[in-house]
Amino acid sequence: MTTTNQTIYWTLTDEAPSLATCSLLPIVRAFTSKAEIDVKISDISLAGRVLSAFPEKLSEEQRVEDGLKFLGELTQDPNANIIKLPNISASIPQLKACIAELQTQGYDVPDYPEDPQTDTDADVQTRYSKILGSAVNPVLREGNSDRRAPGAVKAYAKKFPHSMGKWSKASQTHADYMRGGDFFSSEQSITMAEAGDVRIEFVDQAGNVEVKKELSLEKGEILDSMRMSCAALREFFEESLQDAKETGVMWSLHVKATMMKVSHPIVFGHAVTVFYKELFEQYGDLFEELGVNPNNGIGSVYDKIATLPTSKREEIEEAIHKCYEHRPKLAMVDSSKGITNLHVPSDVIVDASMPAMIRNGGKMWDANGQTADTKAVMPESTYARIYQEMINYCKTNGAFDPTTIGTVPNVGLMAKKAEEYGSHDKTYETQPGTMRVVAADGTVLMQHEVEKGDIWRACQTKDEPVRDWVKLAVTRARNSDTPAVFWLDYKRAHDAELIKKVETYLQDHDTDGLEIYIKTYNQAIRFSMDRMFRGKDTISVTGNVLRDYLTDLFPIIELGTSAKMLSIVPMLKGGGMYETGAGGSAPKHVQQVEEENHLRWDSLGEFLALAVSLEDLGLKGNKRAAVLAKTLDAATGKLLENNKSPSRKTGELDNRGSHFYLGMYWAQEVANQTEDAELAAEFKQLAEDLTSQESKIVAELAECQGTPAALDGYYHANRETVKKVMRPSASLNSALAK
Amino acid sequence: MTTTNQTIYWTLTDEAPSLATCSLLPIVRAFTSKAEIDVKISDISLAGRVLSAFPEKLSEEQRVEDGLKFLGELTQDPNANIIKLPNISASIPQLKACIAELQTQGYDVPDYPEDPQTDTDADVQTRYSKILGSAVNPVLREGNSDRRAPGAVKAYAKKFPHSMGKWSKASQTHADYMRGGDFFSSEQSITMAEAGDVRIEFVDQAGNVEVKKELSLEKGEILDSMRMSCAALREFFEESLQDAKETGVMWSLHVKATMMKVSHPIVFGHAVTVFYKELFEQYGDLFEELGVNPNNGIGSVYDKIATLPTSKREEIEEAIHKCYEHRPKLAMVDSSKGITNLHVPSDVIVDASMPAMIRNGGKMWDANGQTADTKAVMPESTYARIYQEMINYCKTNGAFDPTTIGTVPNVGLMAKKAEEYGSHDKTYETQPGTMRVVAADGTVLMQHEVEKGDIWRACQTKDEPVRDWVKLAVTRARNSDTPAVFWLDYKRAHDAELIKKVETYLQDHDTDGLEIYIKTYNQAIRFSMDRMFRGKDTISVTGNVLRDYLTDLFPIIELGTSAKMLSIVPMLKGGGMYETGAGGSAPKHVQQVEEENHLRWDSLGEFLALAVSLEDLGLKGNKRAAVLAKTLDAATGKLLENNKSPSRKTGELDNRGSHFYLGMYWAQEVANQTEDAELAAEFKQLAEDLTSQESKIVAELAECQGTPAALDGYYHANRETVKKVMRPSASLNSALAK
C-alpha cells in the first residue's frame, strides 16, 4: 500500500489530548489546506478500538473503522506521516469502565470475561486482550526512537524554570528493589546464529511437556528468558513493608501494569495481598466467591463487597482498616478521596511517578495531604537502580537546577517490538516445574526451574532494529556534536548479547572525533548527571524500557514535563511518526473540564510534532509545507517567549486560549514571511482578524470557564458536545471559517 | 652516617603502644639475640621529644637523646631498619598536659606560651611548635607508602568477621561539606620548569608587601596555593547547624587538628564560636580577658572559667546550656562524661571517626548513650566527597560484608613531605589583602584575594617522590596482579599537574597486561567499592592525605581496624621503615589499664612489621633473620587462627597474653623448622617451657587483672613501674631469662 503524498494522519486518542484536538485541528487545517495538505483523523481511542473489535455486535452506523490496523499498515509506506497523540494504555478496570460506558450509550459490546468458561467468552477475551495495555505503540512504532528537548523549549525552561522541590541531605527517601529472585538475577539470553523455530515449553513435575508457544526467529535475533520468584517477591514485599514501618517512611509501589500488562498486575496483586495479609487470610474464600481480583487493587475488594449486606461489608471494611495499624503509611494517589497507591494498578506508572517524586524533593503525598519521605518500591531491580542512583545524587548535590543543567536526549531501541518487555504473549504465571526454550531439533536453549506463581517471560529483539539504532545513535552524536552513551550492563545476559552487536555495527560508521561510550546503567546515569550538573549534554542510547523511563525522567527534571519533548520515530521504511508528549496526568485534566470547564492540557507537543511533520513534507517536495514548518516553529517560540501556555488555574488562559495564540502568531509569521508572497497574502486577513480581536477572543474563551461542562461520556464522549465545549469563541470560529 | 648491619630500631612512643612494647620486647629479643640482631629502643614519645628540646633546663641525668633527630638521619642510610609504632600527634591541650606532667615529675620544662610576649617566649614556642601535631612522620617518612592487609589477616577477617552495624536504606546520615569558598574551589598549582626561589608574600590593602616565607624549589617541583574563606566557612557552619536542627539529625564535626595543625584548629574554633554564637557574643570580652581560645574547644571555656567566682561561673554555664536549646544534638566523644564533639579538637580525628561511623551503620553516639543518624561535617570538600560516596553506597547496598569483600591496598605518595597539607610553616590566618607567590624575578605565580580570618596555605611536592610513587604503583600492580587506580581529580589544580607527571612516568615502565587507571576521587572510590563488593581487589594509588584517610577507611571496613595492616615505607635511599597500625583509640586503652589492669591493644601490627623487618635483614645476608621472619609469619597465622588476639574484656586474654602466645607459637615454629638445625635446637627448651606452662602463664596473666594499675604518669610513665605492670608472669619471665 502507498498513500498519495501530502496526507498527515492525526490520531484521535483519549481524554485531554482528544479534547484538545477538537479545538486545535480547525486551526491547523486553516493553514495546511493552503498547502494542499490533507490532515486526516484516524481514531485509535480506547473506545474506538473496542467498537472496531466487535463489528458484528453493532449496527451499520455504529461501526467504526479499525484505525490502528490502518495506521499499522501505513507504517510500511515510505510516505507515512503520522502525528500520534498520547492514548490510554488500558488496565482491566479502565477497559471495563469503557465497555460499561459504551453499553450505556447503546453499543452492544460484550462484557469483559474475567474467567472465560465458554469458547465465545474465550474469543471475547482474546479480542479484548489485544486492546489492553500498551497495545497501540507496538503496532505503530516501526522505527527506533529519537527524543529531545527542542532548543526553544530548553531556552524557555532556563528562562521560566519550573518549580523543583528542595532535596534534603538528610532525606530518607530511597528506591527499594529485590536483591535476588527477580528477572535481572535469572536472565538468560541467546542470539540465533541462523533463522529457526523455537518452542517455549513447560515441563511439569511429572515430566509432562506442554508447548506454550512457538516462535519463528530471524537470523541474528536475540531471545531472552527470565523468571521472577513468587516466594522471593512476597518475602521482599513483607520485609520492605516492615522496614518502612520501622524507619517511619511512607511506602509506595511503582510498577507499570499498563505496559507490562501480564507481569505487573500479578506483581501488584502480590503487593496487595501481602500488605493486607490478614484481610486476605480471613476473607480469602469469600473474596474468591465474590470474584475479588487483587491484581486489580484493593479497589477490587471495595467493588465486590459493595453488594454484600451492610453489616458484612462494614465488618470487612473494619478488617481493611485494621491492616493499616501495623503497616507503614501508604503513598496516596488522591489523598482527598482516600485513594492509595494500592487502589488500582493503573494509577501509579513508574516512569511518571518516580520522576515526579524526584522532582518533588523525594516526597510523595500522605493521607493527610502532607508530603513525606518515601520508600519507592520497584521490585524488579534491572532499572530500579537508576532511580536510586539519581536519589543519591540529589541528596548529595541538591535538586537539579533547571536554569543551568544540560540535557539528556534519547535514542531508543524500539522498532519491530524490540525488547517489548510487556510482551504479554510470552509471559506466564507458572506451576511448579521447568520453563524452557527448545530449538526445532530438541536442543534446550534456555531453562529455568519454576515454582507455583513464579512469573516467566521471554523477549525478542530482532537484528535489523539494532543495526538501525546504532546508526541513529551515531547520526545524532554527529549532528548534535554531543557524546553518546550506550546504557548496556555487561553483567546482564541480554545486554551482553547486545554489546557484541553494538561493537560490530559501530564499525560500519565513521565515528572519528565522536565520543561514544558503553557503560552500565549506574555508570551511565552518573556520567550523564555529572555532565548535566555542569551544563553539558549527553545522549542516552538505550533499550526500549529505559527509553520509556528516561524520556520521562530527564524531561521532567529538565523541563518540568515530558509533554514538551520532540519525539520522532524515523520509520525503518522511510516514513515518519511524530509523537506528542506523555499523557500521564491526563485523567485529572478531563475532570477539571467536567467540573470547571478549564482544560490545562498543553498542546506544545502537538505544535512541535506538527512542525517536524510539515518539515518532512517540505523535504519531500512541498515548498509551502516547508514555509509552514518554519513559521510554525517561530510561532511556537513566540508563544513560549510570551508565556501563552495553558495555566492550571480555572479562569486563566487554558488549552483553547493557547491554541488561539498559536494560530495568531502563526498567521502573523506566515503573513510576514517573504519566501512565498502569495501565501503571505492569503494569510493577511486571518492575521489581522486574530490580532485585532485578541482581547475579545481571549475574553470569550475565559467566559465559559468556571461552570461544569458535560462531555456526554468519558471514553466515548459525544463529538458534537465536545465541539461545543472546546470551540466556545464565536469570533475565533468565524475568523477561521473565512 | 652508616650503621653497622643488623640493628633494628624499635621506637618507643606513647600510650598503649609504649605499654605493649614493655611486654613484647623481651620476647622479641629472646629470638633476635640468637641471630646477632640488636633491637635498639629509640625514644620518640611526646614526653621524650619535649625533654630533648630543652636540655639546658634539665640536669645531666634528666637529659634524653633526641631520638627523632637520630632516626631522621638514619633514614638516609641504605641499611636503615626501623619499626615505627603509633605516636601521639599532639594538640595544644595534649602538649600542655604533657608539660604539666613532666613539671610535676621534677623536670623544669617551660610552660607553653599561648601568646608569646618576649623573645624567650617566642623561642620556647618555636621549639614546641616542632613537637606539635604530626611532627614525627614527616621526619621519618623518607619514602613512599605501601600498605596492605596481609593474607593471614584477611583470611582471619573472613573467618572471624568483626561486627558491622546495619545500614538502613532510610538512614539520614550524610557527609556535609562546603560547595564553594573552600580550599578545593580556590586551589592553584604550578610546576617549576627550573629550580628557583619563590617568596610567599602578603600585600595589605594599602599596598604594603610583607614577605611571609622564602622557599627554594627544585626543578619539577609542584607548588600549590589555596584559600578557605572565613566568611564562607562560618556561613556553612550556621546553615549546616540549622539544617541538622530542622531535619532532626545529630551534628558532628570531623577534622584533623593534629595533622593540619595550623588550619584545622582554626576551623574547629569557628565551629565552636558559631555553635555557641550567643555565648561568645555575650561573654566575648570576658573570654578574651581570661584567655579562652575557642580553637582548643569549648573545653577551653570550662578550663578558663574554673577560676571565676561560683556565681559567675554558673551564669556562664547556664549560657552554655542555653545555646543547646536551638542547636541540633551534638555527637558525643564520651557520653558518660558529657564530652561532646566540640570539646577538644584532638578528640575526633576524621580518618578514624568517619570509618567508625560508617562501620557502625552511619550512627554516632548521642548524649544519652544512644546511637543516632548524623550529619558528618567536613568543611573542606576535597576529600569529604569520598565519604558521602561510601555512605550512599552503603545506603543502597547495605553494610559491606567482611566475609566476602575484596581488599583495597594503598600505594601512597609521601616521601620528602610530599603534599604535606598540614605543613604549618606555610599556612596563615590572613588579614584583608592579597596572598601571593612570587618568583625571584618578581613574576606573580599565584595569588588570592583574602579577607580577615581566611586561611591561606601553600604546599610542596617534589618530583623525585612522584617518580618513585609511580614506580611503586606499577611494581605493586605487577606483583599482586591487581588493577591499580590513581585517585586524581582533573578538576583540581594540583592533581592536574600530578596527572601530567603520572602520564609521563608511566611510560618508564612495562605496563603490558596491567590495568592502570586514572580516575577522579568519586569515580575511583565507586569503582573500588563495586569491585570490593564482588570480592575483587583494587590498589588505590593516592596522594598523601588520601593515603592517610584510605589506610584507615578500607582496613576498618575490611578488618575492623587499621592496626592489622602491613605498612611499609620503602625508603628512597634503600632502607626500610615498618610502621604498625594507627593508634586512634589508644587513650581509651590506657584508661582501661589504669582502672582494671587490662590492655586491649593488639600488637598484631608489631608482629607483622617485625616479620618484614626481619625479612629485609634476611635479604641483606642474615640467614637466621630469614628463618625468624618465616617462622614469625607462621606464628602470627597460628595466633589469628586460634584467636589468641587480645579481648576487650577485662579478665580475658589481653595484650600480654597475646604476646605470650606469639612467643610460644614462634618458639614452636623455630624449634620445628629444619632449615637451621642449630637454631631449632637452641629454641627447643623455650618451646617446651612455654608449651608446658601455657595454662599457668595464662592464669598468671589473668590474675593481675580487675584492679587498678598505677603507671606513675601518662605521657611519661615510670618505666620501672610499667615493667612491673606489663610483665606480671613470673613463669614467663623466667622462661625467657633462660
Side-chain angles (χ1 to χ4, degrees):
Chain A
M1 189 195 78
T2 54
T3 60
T4 56
N5 203 336
Q6 318 305 27
T7 301
I8 293 174
Y9 289 90
W10 186 288
T11 58
L12 186 69
T13 58
D14 309 282
E15 300 175 329
S18 81
L19 298 180
T21 287
C22 207
S23 154
L24 179 57
L25 218 53
I27 295 171
V28 170
R29 281 175 173 152
F31 289 79
T32 52
S33 62
K34 305 292 181 186
E36 309 296 331
I37 297 162
D38 210 0
V39 180
K40 283 196 178 141
I41 279 282
S42 186
D43 184 354
I44 57 166
S45 66
L46 178 60
R49 286 181 285 136
V50 168
L51 292 176
S52 69
F54 298 96
E56 79 279 10
K57 296 280 198 176
L58 306 178
S59 70
E60 193 73 37
E61 67 263 16
Q62 282 182 327
R63 282 184 204 155
V64 299
E65 192 205 11
D66 187 341
L68 184 58
K69 187 167 168 238
F70 171 78
L71 291 179
E73 286 161 4
L74 185 66
T75 60
Q76 302 305 309
D77 184 333
N79 288 320
N81 190 317
I82 303 167
I83 293 179
K84 158 72 176 62
L85 281 72
N87 64 287
I88 290 180
S89 292
S91 63
I92 290 178
Q94 283 176 305
L95 178 62
K96 285 182 172 175
C98 176
I99 293 167
E101 178 177 321
L102 288 170
Q103 289 170 340
T104 321
Q105 293 175 347
Y107 296 90
D108 186 25
V109 289
D111 284 341
Y112 177 79
E114 293 262 12
D115 184 18
Q117 301 295 337
T118 67
D119 284 358
T120 316
D121 280 3
D123 170 59
V124 168
Q125 201 192 38
T126 305
R127 294 202 222 176
Y128 276 131
S129 73
K130 290 181 186 153
I131 294 167
L132 277 172
S134 186
V136 169
N137 288 335
V139 175
L140 298 185
R141 288 176 173 170
E142 277 294 297
N144 290 306
S145 157
D146 169 9
R147 291 202 187 180
R148 43 199 143 107
V153 169
K154 188 74 183 161
Y156 173 81
K158 290 192 173 186
K159 189 168 170 190
F160 301 105
H162 47 281
S163 66
M164 293 289 283
K166 185 178 179 292
W167 265 95
S168 166
K169 295 185 179 80
S171 168
Q172 296 190 290
T173 292
H174 60 274
D176 202 4
Y177 44 88
M178 296 170 76
R179 306 300 167 129
D182 65 342
F183 290 129
F184 177 79
S185 61
S186 67
E187 191 174 83
Q188 300 179 26
S189 186
I190 54 164
T191 300
M192 297 296 284
E194 294 300 333
D197 295 342
V198 303
R199 302 187 302 276
I200 296 174
E201 295 180 345
F202 170 68
V203 188
D204 71 15
Q205 289 178 314
N208 302 308
V209 177
E210 180 194 353
V211 176
K212 306 289 278 190
K213 184 128 204 142
E214 294 179 288
L215 301 170
S216 288
L217 301 180
E218 299 179 358
K219 182 179 175 178
E221 184 157 359
I222 298 172
L223 185 69
D224 315 324
S225 64
M226 62 208 81
R227 182 221 75 229
M228 178 175 274
S229 157
C230 171
L233 175 66
R234 294 184 64 88
E235 197 180 326
F236 164 75
F237 277 137
E238 182 61 42
E239 280 177 10
S240 163
L241 286 162
Q242 286 180 16
D243 184 60
K245 179 74 180 175
E246 277 164 29
T247 54
V249 295
M250 200 153 63
W251 195 89
S252 66
L253 180 65
H254 302 259
V255 291
K256 190 154 187 179
T258 49
M259 181 166 151
M260 318 294 193
K261 63 185 171 186
V262 176
S263 59
H264 275 199
I266 300 172
V267 170
F268 191 89
H270 286 302
V272 170
T273 54
V274 172
F275 189 97
Y276 299 98
K277 200 162 49 177
E278 291 78 8
L279 177 74
F280 280 87
E281 273 164 10
Q282 196 177 348
Y283 295 101
D285 295 340
L286 173 64
F287 285 177
E288 195 152 322
E289 216 173 279
L290 291 171
V292 166
N293 183 356
N295 297 6
N296 292 342
I298 190 69
S300 171
V301 173
Y302 282 107
D303 286 354
K304 298 296 182 180
I305 63 174
T307 53
L308 291 178
T310 308
S311 67
K312 189 71 187 169
R313 206 183 64 229
E314 284 176 353
E315 177 196 317
I316 295 173
E317 284 171 355
E318 202 171 308
I320 293 175
H321 288 293
K322 223 167 155 51
C323 289
Y324 292 115
E325 285 170 18
H326 62 279
R327 287 305 192 193
K329 285 200 296 183
L330 265 183
M332 303 304 276
V333 170
D334 187 338
S335 53
S336 65
K337 294 191 177 160
I339 304 294
T340 76
N341 199 276
L342 292 178
H343 201 77
V344 236
S346 56
D347 266 354
V348 175
I349 300 172
V350 56
D351 49 338
S353 60
M354 284 303 297
M357 184 189 92
I358 291 171
R359 183 186 161 191
N360 196 29
K363 292 180 185 293
M364 292 185 75
W365 298 95
D366 72 9
N368 305 318
Q370 303 292 313
T371 61
D373 287 351
T374 304
K375 179 189 279 288
V377 175
M378 291 161 279
E380 169 60 24
S381 68
T382 314
Y383 306 109
R385 294 170 295 160
I386 66 165
Y387 295 109
Q388 175 69 0
E389 194 74 37
M390 186 174 274
I391 288 167
N392 282 339
Y393 198 87
C394 291
K395 284 187 200 171
T396 302
N397 300 297
F400 288 102
D401 176 357
T403 67
T404 61
I405 54 174
T407 184
V408 180
N410 181 269
V411 170
L413 177 61
M414 183 175 81
K416 293 187 176 284
K417 307 188 191 178
E419 294 183 356
E420 193 68 23
Y421 265 41
S423 57
H424 52 284
D425 62 341
K426 293 181 286 295
T427 305
Y428 308 95
E429 193 171 15
T430 68
Q431 293 300 318
T434 304
M435 286 294 303
R436 65 189 192 188
V437 177
V438 182
D441 67 2
T443 313
V444 175
L445 302 171
M446 298 184 273
Q447 68 175 9
H448 292 90
E449 301 305 309
V450 289
E451 303 291 329
K452 183 169 162 50
D454 286 1
I455 306 169
W456 186 98
R457 69 185 179 191
C459 172
Q460 294 168 256
T461 308
K462 297 192 193 308
D463 184 64
E464 186 194 358
V466 176
R467 196 185 288 258
D468 179 79
W469 172 60
V470 172
K471 181 181 151 200
L472 187 57
V474 174
T475 309
R476 292 297 314 140
R478 177 74 68 197
N479 291 352
S480 56
D481 194 19
T482 302
V485 179
F486 283 87
W487 295 39
L488 294 170
D489 185 347
Y490 66 94
K491 294 193 292 295
R492 205 186 135 192
H494 169 76
D495 284 8
E497 295 301 300
L498 217 49
I499 286 171
K500 291 182 216 163
K501 285 184 190 287
V502 169
E503 285 173 345
T504 304
Y505 297 149
L506 275 175
Q507 293 169 17
D508 296 344
H509 306 283
D510 170 20
T511 55
D512 231 44
L514 299 183
E515 280 186 66
I516 296 185
Y517 305 97
I518 298 178
K519 290 177 183 286
T520 65
Y521 307 160
N522 279 332
Q523 287 169 350
I525 195 166
R526 182 64 182 272
F527 180 79
S528 306
M529 289 189 298
D530 273 335
R531 289 178 54 87
M532 184 163 80
F533 190 78
R534 289 181 288 128
K536 295 186 174 175
D537 307 335
T538 317
I539 299 169
S540 61
V541 188
T542 68
N544 204 351
V545 181
L546 276 176
R547 171 201 59 74
D548 193 41
Y549 290 7
L550 297 194
T551 54
D552 275 317
L553 179 58
F554 286 109
I556 287 173
I557 301 297
E558 294 173 29
L559 313 173
T561 168
S562 60
K564 293 182 177 178
M565 294 291 277
L566 189 55
S567 176
I568 302 173
V569 181
M571 306 274 199
L572 296 174
K573 290 291 191 291
M577 177 164 70
Y578 310 96
E579 295 189 48
T580 80
S585 54
K588 276 194 191 161
H589 294 196
V590 179
Q591 201 183 321
Q592 194 179 8
V593 173
E594 290 176 328
E595 288 170 3
E596 310 176 340
N597 197 2
H598 178 93
L599 179 59
R600 62 166 74 167
W601 174 259
D602 188 344
S603 289
L604 178 64
E606 287 95 281
F607 308 158
L608 299 168
L610 180 60
V612 277
S613 156
L614 288 168
E615 191 179 64
D616 186 59
L617 293 181
L619 289 171
K620 284 172 176 160
N622 185 333
K623 285 192 180 164
R624 283 206 160 171
V627 174
L628 288 181
K630 216 180 293 175
T631 49
L632 173 54
D633 255 346
T636 306
K638 228 173 178 177
L639 180 120
L640 288 174
E641 185 75 22
N642 294 335
N643 223 345
K644 298 301 184 192
S645 301
S647 159
R648 303 165 70 91
K649 237 167 117 177
T650 297
E652 298 183 353
L653 199 76
D654 80 346
N655 176 268
R656 296 163 287 197
S658 174
H659 291 167
F660 155 70
Y661 274 106
L662 182 86
M664 182 179 88
Y665 294 138
W666 196 2
Q668 289 168 351
E669 291 291 332
V670 177
N672 291 333
Q673 54 81 32
T674 54
E675 215 169 307
D676 184 335
E678 204 180 316
L679 191 67
E682 286 185 55
F683 277 86
K684 197 160 172 284
Q685 185 63 49
L686 183 61
E688 277 176 16
D689 284 355
L690 298 183
T691 309
S692 65
Q693 295 182 90
E694 174 181 348
S695 50
K696 190 173 171 209
I697 292 172
V698 170
E700 287 172 0
L701 291 173
E703 240 163 52
C704 65
Q705 296 188 37
T707 48
L711 301 171
D712 298 348
Y714 182 89
Y715 293 98
H716 194 244
N718 184 304
R719 295 309 293 173
E720 285 309 311
T721 313
V722 170
K723 196 182 281 179
K724 275 190 206 125
V725 170
M726 291 304 299
R727 304 192 63 197
S729 165
S731 310
L732 174 59
N733 297 349
S734 82
L736 291 172
K738 289 199 224 164
Chain B
M1 189 195 77
T2 55
T3 61
T4 57
N5 204 335
Q6 318 305 27
T7 301
I8 294 173
Y9 289 90
W10 186 287
T11 57
L12 186 70
T13 59
D14 309 281
E15 299 174 331
S18 80
L19 298 181
T21 287
C22 207
S23 156
L24 179 58
L25 219 52
I27 296 173
V28 169
R29 282 175 172 152
F31 289 80
T32 52
S33 61
K34 304 291 180 187
E36 311 294 330
I37 298 163
D38 211 1
V39 180
K40 284 194 179 145
I41 279 282
S42 187
D43 184 354
I44 57 166
S45 65
L46 178 60
R49 287 181 283 136
V50 169
L51 292 176
S52 69
F54 298 98
E56 79 280 10
K57 296 279 197 175
L58 307 178
S59 70
E60 192 74 36
E61 67 263 16
Q62 282 181 328
R63 281 183 205 154
V64 299
E65 193 205 12
D66 187 341
L68 184 59
K69 187 168 167 237
F70 170 77
L71 291 179
E73 286 162 4
L74 185 66
T75 60
Q76 303 304 309
D77 183 335
N79 288 319
N81 189 318
I82 302 168
I83 293 180
K84 159 72 175 63
L85 280 73
N87 65 286
I88 290 179
S89 293
S91 63
I92 290 177
Q94 283 176 303
L95 177 62
K96 285 183 172 174
C98 176
I99 294 167
E101 180 178 321
L102 289 169
Q103 290 170 340
T104 320
Q105 293 175 345
Y107 296 91
D108 185 26
V109 289
D111 284 339
Y112 178 80
E114 292 262 15
D115 185 17
Q117 301 295 338
T118 66
D119 285 357
T120 316
D121 281 2
D123 170 59
V124 168
Q125 200 191 39
T126 303
R127 294 203 222 176
Y128 277 132
S129 74
K130 288 182 187 152
I131 293 167
L132 276 172
S134 186
V136 170
N137 288 334
V139 175
L140 298 186
R141 288 177 173 169
E142 275 295 295
N144 290 305
S145 156
D146 169 9
R147 291 202 187 180
R148 42 197 143 109
V153 169
K154 188 74 183 161
Y156 173 81
K158 289 193 174 186
K159 189 169 169 189
F160 302 104
H162 48 281
S163 66
M164 292 290 284
K166 186 179 178 291
W167 264 95
S168 167
K169 297 184 179 80
S171 167
Q172 295 190 290
T173 292
H174 59 274
D176 202 4
Y177 44 88
M178 296 170 77
R179 307 301 167 130
D182 64 343
F183 290 129
F184 177 79
S185 61
S186 68
E187 192 174 80
Q188 300 178 26
S189 186
I190 54 163
T191 300
M192 297 295 285
E194 295 299 334
D197 294 342
V198 303
R199 300 188 302 276
I200 295 175
E201 294 181 344
F202 170 69
V203 188
D204 72 14
Q205 290 178 315
N208 303 309
V209 177
E210 177 193 356
V211 176
K212 306 289 278 190
K213 185 130 204 139
E214 293 179 289
L215 301 170
S216 288
L217 301 180
E218 299 179 358
K219 180 178 175 179
E221 185 158 359
I222 299 172
L223 185 70
D224 315 323
S225 63
M226 62 208 82
R227 182 221 74 227
M228 178 175 274
S229 157
C230 171
L233 174 67
R234 295 185 62 88
E235 197 180 326
F236 164 75
F237 278 137
E238 183 60 42
E239 281 177 11
S240 165
L241 286 163
Q242 285 181 15
D243 184 59
K245 179 75 181 174
E246 276 164 29
T247 55
V249 295
M250 199 152 65
W251 196 89
S252 67
L253 180 65
H254 303 258
V255 292
K256 190 155 186 177
T258 50
M259 180 166 153
M260 319 293 193
K261 64 185 172 187
V262 176
S263 60
H264 276 199
I266 299 172
V267 169
F268 190 90
H270 286 302
V272 171
T273 54
V274 172
F275 189 97
Y276 300 97
K277 199 162 49 178
E278 291 78 7
L279 177 75
F280 281 86
E281 274 164 10
Q282 197 177 346
Y283 295 101
D285 294 340
L286 173 62
F287 286 176
E288 196 151 322
E289 215 173 281
L290 290 171
V292 165
N293 184 355
N295 296 7
N296 293 341
I298 190 71
S300 171
V301 174
Y302 282 106
D303 286 354
K304 300 294 183 182
I305 64 173
T307 54
L308 291 179
T310 308
S311 68
K312 189 69 185 169
R313 205 183 63 229
E314 284 176 353
E315 177 197 316
I316 294 173
E317 284 172 354
E318 202 173 308
I320 292 176
H321 288 293
K322 223 168 153 52
C323 289
Y324 293 115
E325 284 170 20
H326 62 280
R327 286 305 191 192
K329 284 200 297 184
L330 264 184
M332 304 302 276
V333 169
D334 187 338
S335 53
S336 64
K337 295 190 176 160
I339 304 293
T340 76
N341 200 276
L342 292 178
H343 201 78
V344 235
S346 56
D347 265 353
V348 175
I349 300 173
V350 56
D351 49 339
S353 59
M354 284 303 296
M357 185 189 91
I358 291 172
R359 183 185 161 192
N360 196 28
K363 291 180 185 295
M364 292 185 76
W365 298 94
D366 72 9
N368 306 317
Q370 303 292 314
T371 63
D373 287 351
T374 305
K375 179 188 279 287
V377 175
M378 290 161 279
E380 168 60 24
S381 67
T382 314
Y383 307 108
R385 294 170 295 160
I386 66 165
Y387 295 108
Q388 174 70 358
E389 194 73 37
M390 187 174 273
I391 288 167
N392 283 338
Y393 198 87
C394 291
K395 284 187 199 171
T396 301
N397 299 296
F400 288 102
D401 177 357
T403 67
T404 61
I405 54 175
T407 184
V408 180
N410 180 268
V411 170
L413 178 61
M414 184 174 81
K416 292 185 176 285
K417 308 187 190 179
E419 294 183 357
E420 194 69 23
Y421 265 42
S423 56
H424 53 283
D425 62 341
K426 294 181 285 294
T427 305
Y428 308 95
E429 194 171 16
T430 68
Q431 292 300 318
T434 303
M435 286 295 303
R436 67 189 191 188
V437 176
V438 183
D441 67 1
T443 313
V444 175
L445 302 171
M446 299 184 272
Q447 68 175 9
H448 292 91
E449 301 305 310
V450 289
E451 303 291 328
K452 183 169 163 51
D454 287 0
I455 306 168
W456 186 98
R457 69 184 180 192
C459 173
Q460 293 168 256
T461 308
K462 299 194 192 306
D463 184 63
E464 185 194 359
V466 176
R467 197 186 286 258
D468 179 79
W469 172 60
V470 172
K471 180 181 153 202
L472 187 58
V474 174
T475 308
R476 291 299 313 140
R478 176 73 70 196
N479 291 352
S480 56
D481 194 21
T482 302
V485 180
F486 283 87
W487 295 40
L488 294 170
D489 186 347
Y490 65 93
K491 296 194 290 294
R492 208 187 131 190
H494 169 74
D495 285 8
E497 294 301 300
L498 216 48
I499 287 172
K500 290 182 217 162
K501 285 184 190 286
V502 169
E503 286 172 345
T504 303
Y505 297 148
L506 275 175
Q507 292 169 19
D508 296 344
H509 305 284
D510 171 20
T511 56
D512 230 45
L514 299 183
E515 281 185 65
I516 296 185
Y517 305 98
I518 298 177
K519 291 177 183 285
T520 65
Y521 308 160
N522 278 331
Q523 288 168 350
I525 194 167
R526 183 64 182 273
F527 179 78
S528 305
M529 289 189 297
D530 274 335
R531 289 178 54 87
M532 184 164 81
F533 190 78
R534 291 182 286 127
K536 296 186 173 173
D537 306 336
T538 316
I539 299 169
S540 62
V541 187
T542 68
N544 204 352
V545 181
L546 276 176
R547 172 200 60 72
D548 193 40
Y549 291 6
L550 297 194
T551 54
D552 275 317
L553 179 58
F554 286 109
I556 286 172
I557 302 296
E558 294 173 30
L559 313 174
T561 169
S562 59
K564 294 182 176 177
M565 293 290 278
L566 189 55
S567 176
I568 302 173
V569 182
M571 307 274 199
L572 294 174
K573 289 290 189 294
M577 178 164 69
Y578 310 95
E579 295 189 46
T580 82
S585 53
K588 274 192 192 162
H589 294 196
V590 179
Q591 201 182 319
Q592 194 179 6
V593 172
E594 290 175 327
E595 288 170 4
E596 310 176 341
N597 195 3
H598 178 95
L599 179 58
R600 63 166 71 169
W601 174 258
D602 189 344
S603 288
L604 178 65
E606 286 95 282
F607 307 158
L608 298 168
L610 179 61
V612 277
S613 156
L614 289 168
E615 190 179 65
D616 187 59
L617 293 182
L619 288 171
K620 284 173 177 160
N622 186 334
K623 285 192 181 165
R624 283 207 160 169
V627 173
L628 288 182
K630 218 180 291 174
T631 49
L632 174 54
D633 254 345
T636 305
K638 227 171 178 180
L639 180 120
L640 289 173
E641 184 76 21
N642 294 334
N643 222 347
K644 298 301 183 192
S645 301
S647 159
R648 302 163 72 89
K649 238 166 116 177
T650 298
E652 299 183 352
L653 198 77
D654 81 345
N655 177 267
R656 296 163 288 195
S658 174
H659 291 168
F660 156 68
Y661 274 106
L662 182 86
M664 182 180 87
Y665 293 138
W666 196 1
Q668 290 168 352
E669 292 291 332
V670 178
N672 291 331
Q673 54 80 33
T674 54
E675 215 170 304
D676 184 334
E678 205 181 315
L679 190 67
E682 287 186 54
F683 276 86
K684 198 161 170 281
Q685 184 63 47
L686 182 62
E688 277 176 16
D689 284 355
L690 297 184
T691 309
S692 63
Q693 296 182 88
E694 174 181 350
S695 49
K696 192 175 169 206
I697 294 173
V698 171
E700 286 173 1
L701 292 173
E703 241 162 51
C704 66
Q705 296 188 37
T707 47
L711 302 170
D712 297 348
Y714 182 90
Y715 295 98
H716 193 245
N718 183 305
R719 295 308 293 172
E720 286 309 310
T721 313
V722 170
K723 194 181 281 179
K724 277 190 205 124
V725 169
M726 290 305 299
R727 304 191 64 198
S729 165
S731 310
L732 175 59
N733 297 349
S734 82
L736 291 172
K738 287 201 224 167

